[in-house]
Every structure is written in structure tokens, then in C-alpha cells.
């Protein structure tokens, strides 16, 4: 397989292709309501939810302010438990470290639990190039690995794949099974994947998982899953490797509970995910199962460069996916259009931070600034504000495509001339309000086809903000 | 400079040289940091706590049965195995709770989980009523693979070990002084919505989770 090179630069082209892709559009429509409704129900069932979000934000801000001290304590604890800590400045360093561990273990097969860091560093392709077979075990990751794709959602990686596509894929891949078997029911498909992967857990020499958190107090890594694949991947092979970025640290067990209380509710609407596992070191002398070696790879890959900048708040992210589940742009174009590992609003902020504004600078334009992402983010990350920061930086560097540069310049011309601006916007607002009266939104607008093809443009208030403000 | 030093140096630089950072970190690690709000649903007591535990576990698709004493466990398990059309065998660890019992018609084998494991039985250290969650400690008493390889996973939990929520759970956990390789929180049987965005039970872990609440 080949590594997934970023295509974020051609965001516009990706969007056009995504909007024209009927299979994708069908898959996206079927998920839209699910996540949103479930999160709302979970929030409503817990009166303390919003104050827990404040506590989660504060605990992460505290941790980021003292990240060096917490990382040192964490490392001390992992070592005391008999584990190894490896520090990786770049994606390349992390790939090399993992390959070295696999080679030392004589590994031919590596089983993977779900890890976004593995996607970020392009681990699978690197292992394959070096003769180590990487098997994704999260069902969604397994499906997209067989399709040779990157995930399109951080917690539902195969959300863009339809049932008939999975059917065809399993028939092609599981060629050892009778060709005329009945796969018409979803449970049959699931049972087939379960049986195929069950065997693989016992064959793997190394298990790789991510980490939702690292606990400084105890040196534990934490994974949160619903399938149980991450646990089989770390319990059956001889070596367990944890891939984690440095900002995953939380100070104590109690702090971990605060994050857990907002994580699953924001992600899937569950009160707790099915499996939350705290792992410390290799198996004990008396243990009959569990890995004999435990390694943690701590990845920086651009994150220390975000500390102390206007993008530091992004490091609070716990990868719940709520921002993309609630994003009209993501829901219209899906995750692949964003062109790299992290899609949706969090990806629009993170991608330029991690792989550069030249590569990812287009993504912050994929925002309507409707603010829903920030309003649902359990860590209260000001996503729209940070997207605006990126737009400004991109504009300064003259990296914006000509159309948006002229658009902004046009706006700049009026903005510098307040009277003219007010007259022009007032006129436009009245015209739009008259046109859209009674409907509340426009399904099509002249010159805004790129917008209205996939979402409606809300009817503006008949008066501009400035007019209403003056009349107060 | 090593990668470790380079990364830590950049973090330190961003943190600035503020006074008292070490003290703030030490206080938090010693449990003297600010306390997050404790949800009302994590404060249940007595009979209401057990009811909440049961209701939350059921809401997560587990099944729950109350039995009076641990001596009733073999018969209760035998009945469950029959009702589920499973063979009268179970795989367990060396937990003293199981070792001393007369298992009668149920054939109990001890050891780690294997490829095919129709029924496994573990003992949970604690339960958390706020979410119907089980907390299991891995080790020879309860091998971790039994929790994930059993097609049907049975779990025994004495009612005295049901905590209200994370707050009293962590306190009790620390007090018990355990240091297992894994602490496994389990809330219902495994599931996936990765095919057709339709939730199905029994992904890689158990298809069914049954809890015997003892006492
Ligand atoms: S930015 Fe917020 S909402 Fe989005 S994935 Fe991260 S924590 Fe979740």
C-alpha cells in the first residue's frame, strides 16, 4: 500500500468531487441525524454536563501550562512499571522507532487498535515497505484499509462506506469463504469480520494502540473503545506499543474521570464507551496473559510549536468528533475532502498547524462561521476564532487563491469606507430579505452556487447588525 | 541534544519561568487540585445505588441477576448457560471466590482465554452505579483475555463493591492497593456501528454481558 499524501492544497477540487459522489452523499445523509441527536440526549440527561466541560477545559489548560513537569513525572512512572518511553520529534522519528521495536521483536505481523497518530505518521505504509504486515482491527479501520483509503471521520472511519460496498469488499477479500454465502444481513457481515480478525489477534507479534489519555500520576495509558479490538491487540501479542502525542497527558486518575465524563457523551452519546482500559507497564511476573514488553512513543510533530501561540487551545482536543458531527461543511463534503488525517473543524485548525499553512491553509476557509463546533466542543475550544487566525495568516502570506483574495480586498475597500459599506450591505440585506421572505432560507443564490448547492443560505435579517445596533 | 531534551526545552520555553510551577504540579498530583463537579447521579446510596447500577447496566445492553450468596452462583450460572443454549462449561481465573465453590454440573476450567471461548466468568473488583460500569483488575485471579474473548462474558460482583461513581471508586481503588497491568472498565457488551452506521452488539469482544450481583 502507499502512504496517503496530503491533498489539502486541492481542497476546492476535493469538495467538487465529494459533492458529485453519490455514494458518499448517500452515506453522509444516513449518519447526519444520529450523532447529533444522541449527543443532545446525553447532554440533557446530565445537568452537570456544562460545568464538567468547564472543569475539563481548566484541567487541560493547567496541564498544558506545566506540560514539561507532567511529562517528566509520566516518564518516571512508566519506567518504574518496567515500560519504555521513546521521544519522537517528527513523524519520521516515530516511524523509525516503531519499526526498530518491531525488528527487535522479530515481528512479521503487527495488529493495530484504532490510532489517529498512526495515520498522522503514515505508519502502515512504512511498515509494509519494510516487510512488516500491519493489520487494522477496528472494524471501520479494517474496511478502509482493505479499500486502501484514509479514515473520513476520527471516530467512525468508514462512515462514508455503504453496506453494498462492504458486501462486495468482504466477498473479494475473504476469498477462502464460500462464494455463494448469504451476507444479506448486517449481523452476518459483522460475524464474518469478527471470525477473520479473531484469528489474526493470535498471530500478531506486536500490538499497536493509540491513547486517549496518559496519566502522569500513575504512568498509565488509557484507551476508550466500543469494539474491544484495542484490548485484544494489546493483550495477545508479545509486545504492546502505545502511540501518543505529548498533549494527551492528564495529571491524575480523578482528572481522567472528568475527561471520560464528557468524552463519550460528546462522541456517541453514550454515558461511558463499552471499554475504557488503563494500562501500566508489561505483564507482571505472576500474570498469565498480557504483553511482555510495553513501549510508549511520545510524539511532538509540531505540537510544541503551538504552545504559547493563539493555537495552544487546540491542544485541549480529546478527539471526540462532535465538531465534525455538527459541522454543515463536513456533513456536506465528508472527511476525505479535507485531504489529510484530521477532518472537520478540528482538522481545519490542526492541519495547517501540523503540516504547514502552505499545505493546509485552504481548510480554514471551509467554515461558515456558524459556531456550532465551538458550542458543542466538550473542551470549549474556540474553533471559529482559530480558523479566522489561519485565514489572516494565509492572507498575509498571499497564499489564498485569487478568488478569495479579491473577495477580501473587495470587502476591505468597503470596510475602510464605513458609510459606503453600510449603504452597500444594507441594500444587499434588504434585497436578500425580500427575496427569501417566508422561506427562511435560499436554496440557490446568484454568485453563491458553490455554497448553496450543498447547503441553504439563511435569509439575513432585513436590517444589518449595524442598523439594529444603532436603533437600540 | 536528544529528542527528549529538545521537546522538553521547547515546552519549558513556552511555559516561561513563572515561580511556583513545581509546587502547583505537586499539589495537583497529591490530590489537592480543584475538584470537578460531582454529578448527582454519582451520589446514590444504599438500595437506590444498586437499583441505579442495575438500570444503567441494562441501558448499556447488559443483563443483571441478583443472587443471595456466592454459594448460589454455580446453580445460577448453570441455569443461564441452559437458557442461552450454551454448553455447561465455563472458563475462569483463580479467583478465590470461584475456587472454593461446588460447581456441580458446570465444568469449570482455569486459565487464559483461547480462540473459541463460548462462556467466561470473571469477578469485578468494583461496580460504578453512575453508568452501570464494571471495573476489573487483570492478573492470575482474573486474566484479562477472559474479559474480551468470551462469546458470553459472565461477571460476579458483590453488592458491597458497588460504588456510587468515580469519586468514591478511585478512593476505594487506591485503598485496596492494587497494581494490575490493566484496569478494565466494562459497560455493556462490545458493539460496532461501522457497517452501514447501524449499531450491532458483539464486535470483537463479547456478544453478551451478564452480571451476577451477589448479596
Ligand atoms: S475540537 Fe472539540 S469537538 Fe472537535 S474533536 Fe476536539 S474536543 Fe471534540
Amino acid at each position: 500500500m502507499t502512504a496517503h499524501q496530503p491533498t489539502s492544497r486541492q481542497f476546492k477540487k476535493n469538495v467538487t468531487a465529494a459533492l458529485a459522489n453519490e455514494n458518499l452523499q448517500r452515506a453522509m445523509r444516513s449518519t447526519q441525524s444520529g450523532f447529533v441527536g444522541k449527543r443532545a440526549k446525553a447532554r440533557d440527561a446530565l445537568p452537570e454536563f456544562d460545568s464538567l466541560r468547564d472543569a475539563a477545559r481548566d484541567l487541560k489548560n493547567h496541564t498544558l501550562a506545566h506540560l514539561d513537569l507532567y511529562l517528566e513525572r509520566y516518564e518516571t512512572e512508566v519506567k518504574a512499571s518496567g515500560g519504555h518511553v521513546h521521544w519522537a520529534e517528527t513523524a519520521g522519528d516515530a516511524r523509525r522507532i516503531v519499526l526498530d521495536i518491531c525488528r527487535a521483536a522479530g515481528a512479521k505481523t503487527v495488529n493495530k487498535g484504532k490510532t489517529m497518530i498512526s495515520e498522522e505518521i503514515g505508519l502502515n505504509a512504512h511498515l509494509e515497505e519494510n516487510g512488516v504486515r500491519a493489520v487494522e482491527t477496528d472494524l471501520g479501520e479494517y474496511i478502509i484499509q482493505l479499500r486502501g483509503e484514509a479514515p473520513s471521520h476520527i471516530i467512525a472511519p468508514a462512515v462514508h462506506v455503504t453496506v453494498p460496498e462492504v458486501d462486495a469488499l468482504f466477498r473479494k477479500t475473504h476469498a477462502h469463504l464460500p462464494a455463494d454465502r448469504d451476507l444479506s444481513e448486517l449481523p452476518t457481515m459483522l460475524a464474518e469480520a469478527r471470525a477473520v480478525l479473531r484469528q489474526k489477534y493470535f498471530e500478531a507479534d506486536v500490538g499497536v494502540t493509540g491513547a486517549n489519555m496518559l496519566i502522569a500520576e500513575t504512568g498509565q495509558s488509557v484507551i476508550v473503545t466500543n469494539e474491544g479490538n484495542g484490548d485484544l491487540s494489546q493483550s495477545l501479542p508479545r509486545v504492546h506499543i502505545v502511540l501518543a502525542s505529548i498533549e494527551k497527558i492528564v495529571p491524575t486518575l480523578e482528572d481522567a474521570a472528568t475527561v471520560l465524563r464528557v468524552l463519550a457523551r460528546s462522541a456517541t452519546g453514550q454515558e461511558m464507551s463499552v471499554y475504557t482500559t488503563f494500562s501500566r507497564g508489561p505483564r507482571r511476573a505472576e500474570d498469565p496473559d498480557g504483553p511482555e514488553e510495553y513501549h510508549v512513543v511520545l510524539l511532538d510533530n509540531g505540537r510544541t510549536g503551538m504552545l504559547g501561540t493563539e493555537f495552544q487551545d487546540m491542544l485541549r482536543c480529546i478527539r471526540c468528533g462532535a465538531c465534525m458531527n455538527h459541522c454543515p461543511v463536513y456533513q456536506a463534503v465528508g472527511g476525505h475532502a479535507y485531504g489529510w488525517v484530521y477532518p472537520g473543524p478540528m482538522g481545519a485548525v490542526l492541519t495547517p498547524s501540523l503540516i504547514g499553512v502552505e499545505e493546509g491553509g485552504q481548510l480554514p476557509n471551509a467554515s461558515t462561521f456558524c459556531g456550532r463546533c465551538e458550542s458543542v466542543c466538550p473542551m470549549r475550544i474556540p474553533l471559529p476564532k482559530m480558523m479566522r487566525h489561519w485565514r489572516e495568516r494565509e492572507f498575509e502570506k498571499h497564499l489564498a487563491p485569487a478568488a478569495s483574495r479579491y473577495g477580501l480586498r473587495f470587502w476591505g475597500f468597503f470596510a475602510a469606507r464605513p458609510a459606503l459599506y453600510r449603504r452597500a450591505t444594507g441594500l444587499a440585506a434588504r434585497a436578500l430579505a425580500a427575496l427569501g421572505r417566508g422561506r427562511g432560507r435560499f436554496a440557490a443564490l446568484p454568485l453563491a452556487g458553490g455554497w448553496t448547492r450543498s447547503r441553504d443560505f439563511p435569509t439575513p435579517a432585513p436590517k444589518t447588525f449595524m442598523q439594529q445596533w444603532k436603533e437600540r | 541534544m536528544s529528542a527528549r531534551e529538545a521537546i522538553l526545552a521547547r515546552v519549558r520555553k513556552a511555559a516561561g519561568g513563572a515561580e511556583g510551577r513545581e509546587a502547583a504540579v505537586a499539589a495537583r498530583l497529591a490530590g489537592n487540585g480543584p475538584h470537578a463537579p460531582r454529578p448527582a447521579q454519582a451520589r446514590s446510596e444504599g438500595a437506590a445505588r444498586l437499583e441505579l447500577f442495575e438500570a444503567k447496566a441494562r441501558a448499556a445492553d447488559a443483563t443483571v441477576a441478583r443472587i443471595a450468596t456466592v454459594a448460589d452462583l454455580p446453580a445460577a450460572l448453570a441455569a443461564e448457560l441452559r437458557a442461552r443454549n450454551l454448553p455447561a462449561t465455563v472458563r475462569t481465573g483463580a479467583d478465590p471466590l470461584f475456587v472454593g465453590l461446588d460447581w456441580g454440573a458446570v465444568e469449570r476450567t482455569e486459565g487464559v482465554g483461547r480462540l473459541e471461548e463460548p462462556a467466561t466468568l470473571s469477578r469485578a473488583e468494583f461496580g460504578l452505579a453512575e453508568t452501570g460500569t464494571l471495573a476489573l483488575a487483570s492478573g492470575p485471579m482474573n486474566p484479562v483475555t477472559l474479559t474480551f474473548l468470551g462469546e458470553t462474558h459472565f461477571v460476579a460482583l458483590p453488592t458491597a463493591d458497588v460504588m456510587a461513581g468515580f469519586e468514591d471508586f478511585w478512593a476505594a481503588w487506591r485503598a485496596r492497593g492494587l497494581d494490575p497491568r490493566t484496569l478494565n472498565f466494562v459497560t455493556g457488551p462490545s458493539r460496532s456501528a461501522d457497517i452501514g452506521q447501524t449499531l450491532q452488539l458483539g464486535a470483537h469482544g463479547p456478544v453478551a454481558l451478564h452480571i451476577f450481583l451477589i448479596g
Side-chain angles (χ1 to χ4, degrees):
Chain A
M1 69 177 288
T2 52
H4 299 289
Q5 292 303 324
T7 64
S8 309
R9 255 176 229 268
Q10 1 152 354
F11 179 63
K12 257 188 102 170
K13 212 172 114 205
N14 294 348
V15 165
T16 312
L19 293 174
N21 181 338
E22 275 173 34
N23 255 346
L24 171 69
Q25 291 298 325
R26 199 170 312 131
M28 294 307 294
R29 268 195 303 276
S30 74
T31 61
Q32 220 147 19
S33 54
F35 282 127
V36 170
K38 285 179 190 144
R39 177 206 171 262
K41 228 173 124 190
R43 174 207 59 202
D44 294 345
L46 187 71
E48 299 85 357
F49 186 64
D50 281 337
S51 49
L52 283 163
R53 289 168 69 195
D54 293 337
R57 172 200 58 204
D58 296 347
L59 93 81
K60 212 67 192 176
N61 282 346
H62 165 84
T63 312
L64 291 172
H66 308 294
L67 190 59
D68 50 334
L69 300 173
Y70 283 118
L71 281 166
E72 283 170 341
R73 165 67 182 254
Y74 170 75
E75 181 188 42
T76 305
E77 288 296 327
V78 175
K79 285 185 176 162
S81 71
H84 305 271
V85 178
H86 310 262
W87 301 72
E89 288 199 75
T90 65
D93 293 344
R95 285 193 297 265
R96 183 180 43 74
I97 292 166
V98 175
L99 183 62
D100 285 350
I101 299 171
C102 290
R103 285 203 169 133
K108 291 195 181 53
T109 316
V110 169
N111 258 21
K112 311 254 318 284
K114 194 169 158 12
T115 141
M116 290 306 296
I117 297 295
S118 157
E119 301 285 347
E120 181 180 327
I121 66 174
L123 181 62
N124 289 4
H126 185 69
L127 291 177
E128 304 271 326
E129 279 160 22
N130 289 281
V132 180
R133 197 169 139 59
V135 179
E136 293 291 348
T137 61
D138 172 271
L139 191 56
E141 292 278 347
Y142 177 66
I143 291 170
I144 60 164
Q145 186 185 29
L146 294 178
R147 287 166 60 96
E149 288 178 328
S152 68
H153 188 290
I154 58 172
I155 66 160
V159 71
H160 60 286
V161 187
T162 61
V163 175
E165 288 174 317
V166 178
D167 182 310
L169 187 67
F170 280 10
R171 283 183 195 284
K172 196 173 122 221
T173 315
H174 306 155
H176 61 287
L177 298 171
D180 59 351
R181 68 194 186 280
D182 181 13
L183 276 181
S184 59
E185 303 286 323
L186 291 186
T188 336
M189 274 195 219
L190 181 67
E192 179 168 314
R194 177 189 166 99
V196 169
L197 286 166
R198 180 61 71 99
Q199 189 68 46
K200 298 207 188 291
Y201 292 118
F202 284 87
E203 294 165 2
D205 311 292
V206 172
V208 174
T209 69
N212 291 79
M213 288 182 272
L214 304 172
I215 303 182
E217 175 197 0
T218 57
Q220 287 161 312
S221 54
V222 180
I223 62 168
V224 178
T225 75
N226 274 328
E227 296 189 4
N229 62 310
D231 289 283
L232 288 168
S233 295
Q234 70 169 279
S235 300
L236 289 167
R238 206 179 59 73
V239 178
H240 177 199
I241 304 175
V242 178
L243 297 180
S245 47
I246 51 173
E247 82 283 10
K248 289 286 179 290
I249 296 261
V250 299
T252 65
L253 295 171
E254 283 77 5
D255 291 324
T258 302
V259 172
L260 290 175
R261 276 174 170 155
V262 295
L263 173 60
R265 287 178 170 95
S266 302
T268 55
Q270 289 165 285
E271 292 193 300
M272 275 284 273
S273 299
V274 177
Y275 301 114
T276 300
T277 299
F278 288 54
S279 310
R280 179 173 145 90
R283 68 159 80 171
R284 315 291 184 246
E286 67 279 15
D287 281 354
D289 52 14
E292 287 159 33
E293 286 177 35
Y294 176 74
H295 299 265
V296 182
V297 181
L298 284 177
L299 178 70
D300 179 349
N301 204 28
R303 287 162 175 84
T304 47
M306 296 165 72
L307 288 171
T309 73
E310 66 260 60
F311 301 110
Q312 171 166 327
D313 290 345
M314 193 61 223
L315 295 174
R316 292 202 300 266
C317 175
I318 54 173
R319 307 286 189 268
C320 72
C323 54
M324 59 199 76
N325 293 339
H326 291 76
C327 174
V329 177
Y330 175 89
Q331 292 302 335
V333 303
H336 286 158
Y338 291 80
W340 196 53
V341 179
Y342 301 107
M346 55 83 76
V349 175
L350 208 51
T351 303
S353 306
L354 298 186
I355 60 174
V357 67
E358 286 79 9
E359 189 58 60
Q362 295 280 309
L363 302 183
N365 296 315
S367 165
T368 66
F369 293 106
C370 69
R372 288 179 82 194
C373 50
E374 180 175 359
S375 75
V376 297
C377 175
M379 306 307 285
R380 299 203 186 278
I381 298 171
L383 293 154
K385 190 178 94 191
M386 287 190 286
M387 282 188 253
R388 241 179 340 256
H389 287 318
W390 274 127
R391 281 195 191 187
E392 284 157 16
R393 285 209 191 175
E394 193 206 16
F395 189 73
E396 281 162 20
K397 287 202 180 184
H398 293 288
L399 289 166
S404 85
R405 243 181 8 249
Y406 290 130
L408 274 178
R409 236 183 254 157
F410 181 71
W411 179 83
F413 170 83
F414 282 100
R417 296 161 182 80
L420 204 56
Y421 179 80
R422 275 196 296 276
R423 240 183 296 145
T425 53
L427 189 70
R430 276 199 305 281
L432 284 178
L435 275 171
R437 196 168 298 139
R439 281 181 285 170
R441 44 194 46 225
F442 294 98
L445 267 183
L447 305 180
W451 176 296
T452 55
R453 257 193 297 279
S454 58
R455 52 217 186 296
D456 293 345
F457 190 88
T459 309
K463 293 184 177 171
T464 65
F465 172 77
M466 290 298 282
Q467 286 165 346
Q468 295 183 38
W469 180 252
K470 266 201 212 139
E471 286 169 16
R472 282 167 65 98
Chain B
M1 192 161 34
S2 69
R4 178 185 186 279
E5 278 316 307
I7 292 170
L8 287 174
R10 285 195 293 272
V11 178
R12 263 182 226 121
K13 192 162 163 239
E19 290 278 307
R21 295 208 306 129
E22 276 84 2
V25 166
R28 183 130 198 165
L29 287 171
N32 300 323
H35 292 290
R38 182 176 181 178
Q41 77 181 47
R43 294 169 187 267
S44 58
E45 298 280 355
R49 179 187 294 185
L50 296 181
E51 272 165 35
L52 181 65
F53 175 83
E54 275 196 52
K56 291 288 185 186
R58 289 207 175 93
D61 301 296
T63 47
V64 188
R66 297 282 289 268
I67 56 176
T69 73
V70 69
D72 300 331
L73 186 57
L77 178 68
E80 278 297 331
L81 290 171
R82 258 196 317 279
R84 291 161 190 260
N85 264 329
L86 293 170
T89 59
V90 74
R91 187 85 162 167
T92 78
D95 198 290
L97 194 70
F98 307 142
V99 172
L101 294 175
D102 174 6
W103 286 89
V106 177
E107 187 201 346
R108 185 182 73 94
T109 63
E110 249 179 49
V112 299
R114 297 155 300 181
L115 188 63
E116 303 272 338
E117 215 54 271
T120 56
L121 171 65
S122 311
R123 174 188 161 196
E125 281 296 325
F126 292 103
L128 281 75
E130 71 168 300
T131 48
T133 298
L134 301 162
L136 297 106
S138 69
M141 306 296 164
N142 294 285
V144 65
T145 44
L146 297 183
T147 297
F148 295 95
L149 289 171
E151 186 96 9
T152 297
H153 187 210
F154 294 94
V155 178
L157 172 65
T159 51
D161 292 329
V162 178
M163 302 290 121
F166 274 114
E167 285 80 4
D168 54 340
F169 164 74
W170 285 130
W173 175 261
R174 290 176 202 276
R176 222 169 254 191
L178 300 166
D179 177 31
R181 139 89 187 150
T182 56
L183 159 57
N184 298 94
F185 292 103
V186 177
T187 313
S190 81
R191 66 201 60 199
S192 172
D194 279 339
I195 301 178
Q197 292 85 50
T198 308
L199 189 70
Q200 300 178 72
L201 297 184
H204 298 281
V207 179
L209 173 70
H210 184 78
I211 303 168
F212 294 109
L213 211 42
I214 305 168

